[in-house]
Amino acid sequence: MSGTDTDIWTAIATGTGCGLVIIDDAGLIEYMSSELAEVSGVKAEQVVGKPWSDLVPAADTAIVDGDDSGVGLIDTTPVLAKVNFYPVGSEVDNSGRRVGVLRLSSQYVDYGEVFPFAVETASGIPSRRAMFELVESQLACQNRYQTPFSLIFLRIKNYRTFIEALGTEGWENTNRAVYDQLDSITRMADSVGLYDEATFWMILINSAPEGTKVTAEKIKLLAGAMKIDALDLFLSVAVAGVMGRPEEDSEALVQRGLVKLDKALDATSGMVVEE
């Protein structure tokens, strides 16, 4: 693989937030992105030129069409079993050069504690722990590749009213409905989860301040338009967004976002986004 090809694949992996691996027609690894290396714990320089089957011997590397049900794993690299392969070229068969894609999003929760984006909520929504791990990963990418990202918080202000009327189980169903709506408007590389019982987080990859503001406005309109029919009551929400800073750690960034959220709760507009 030429240096130009490597630069292109690296730019794609960084820009989309996906983990990528390129395999030649003999099944040998030509390229592995730093994102995939980081979450799998496998160093790219140690595996380039070696068979993919040595890493995931039980994996089915047949070409799939949008199916995220990758099979086969070994104890040291379970994340690699979620890589799906697609043809490089027009021939859709099981031979030839292939690109493997791992979408690093909140949807990958199958492996619990082993997987970096594990969930802790009873309803299967990515948790606070998942958020911190994603923030740490994005800060590392920002330091390495200068890739901007942002963290958005959405707070449901009148949640206590719903809990009192619907009970805890009813509120969990409401949270699931909100999560599904937020997840439906995100890009493939972005992630959504639950910070606490009434606060959602969203991480936007490769997002500048203006794009973050537009997305925050969209989130506020979407969530604020949601109505709980059983109570004939709309959700009242506040939204805040902050940009990642290379000099910060994950704790500092999250706390800065929560401070902005407190300000958004008091603001007439219900929204505060860092310029």
Side-chain angles (χ1 to χ4, degrees):
M1 180 180 293
S2 69
T4 300
D5 287 342
T6 299
D7 291 341
I8 291 173
W9 286 116
T10 299
I12 292 173
T14 302
T16 63
C18 291
L20 300 180
V21 60
I22 311 299
I23 296 178
D24 66 16
D25 55 5
L28 303 180
I29 299 171
E30 292 186 13
Y31 168 82
M32 177 181 284
S33 71
S34 59
E35 290 81 4
L36 183 57
E38 184 173 346
V39 298
S40 67
V42 176
K43 294 183 179 180
E45 60 269 22
Q46 293 179 337
V47 298
V48 169
K50 296 183 178 180
W52 172 256
S53 59
D54 284 357
L55 296 180
V56 192
D60 178 6
T61 56
I63 295 162
V64 298
D65 184 14
D67 177 23
D68 288 334
S69 59
V71 297
L73 62 91
I74 53 178
D75 291 341
T76 55
T77 56
V79 67
L80 295 179
K82 300 300 293 184
V83 174
N84 285 326
F85 287 86
Y86 303 85
V88 177
S90 58
E91 294 297 324
V92 181
D93 55 32
N94 290 334
S95 63
R97 199 161 175 238
R98 291 155 289 168
V99 55
V101 181
L102 174 68
R103 296 182 177 91
L104 306 183
S105 73
S106 58
Q107 298 173 20
Y108 285 82
V109 297
D110 307 61
Y111 293 112
E113 293 298 318
V114 178
F115 197 76
F117 309 149
V119 299
E120 295 173 346
T121 67
S123 54
I125 300 174
S127 67
R128 181 186 304 197
R129 174 172 176 259
M131 178 199 68
F132 272 104
E133 292 181 344
L134 283 165
V135 167
E136 288 177 2
S137 175
Q138 287 309 307
L139 285 171
C141 286
Q142 188 176 56
N143 282 320
R144 192 178 307 165
Y145 305 112
Q146 292 75 55
T147 306
F149 76 99
S150 57
L151 173 64
I152 293 178
F153 283 111
L154 165 72
R155 177 74 171 181
I156 301 175
K157 297 191 289 185
N158 55 348
Y159 77 100
R160 293 189 185 279
T161 300
F162 293 104
I163 292 178
E164 291 171 1
L166 303 176
T168 301
E169 184 176 350
W171 178 244
E172 287 179 354
N173 292 334
T174 300
N175 268 339
R176 183 71 204 191
V178 175
Y179 167 75
D180 288 341
Q181 287 295 311
L182 294 177
D183 190 52
S184 71
I185 66 171
T186 63
R187 300 169 301 174
M188 186 178 294
D190 299 332
S191 301
V192 183
L194 194 63
Y195 183 81
D196 60 30
E197 60 183 348
T199 307
F200 288 84
W201 55 264
M202 181 179 292
I203 294 175
L204 307 181
I205 308 301
N206 205 19
S207 178
E210 185 57 36
T212 299
K213 183 177 180 180
V214 170
T215 302
E217 291 172 344
K218 188 176 181 180
I219 291 170
K220 187 174 184 299
L221 287 173
L222 175 68
M226 294 186 66
K227 183 180 180 180
I228 308 302
D229 293 335
L231 301 181
D232 194 28
L233 186 64
F234 287 93
L235 298 181
S236 176
V237 302
V239 176
V242 292
M243 298 298 301
R245 296 176 181 172
E247 68 274 12
E248 287 183 319
D249 59 20
S250 57
E251 288 282 353
L253 175 59
V254 171
Q255 286 305 310
R256 188 158 53 85
L258 293 175
V259 169
K260 295 289 185 182
L261 182 60
D262 287 339
K263 293 181 178 179
L265 289 169
D266 296 331
T268 302
S269 64
M271 190 175 78
V272 175
V273 180
E274 185 177 75
E275 298 294 335

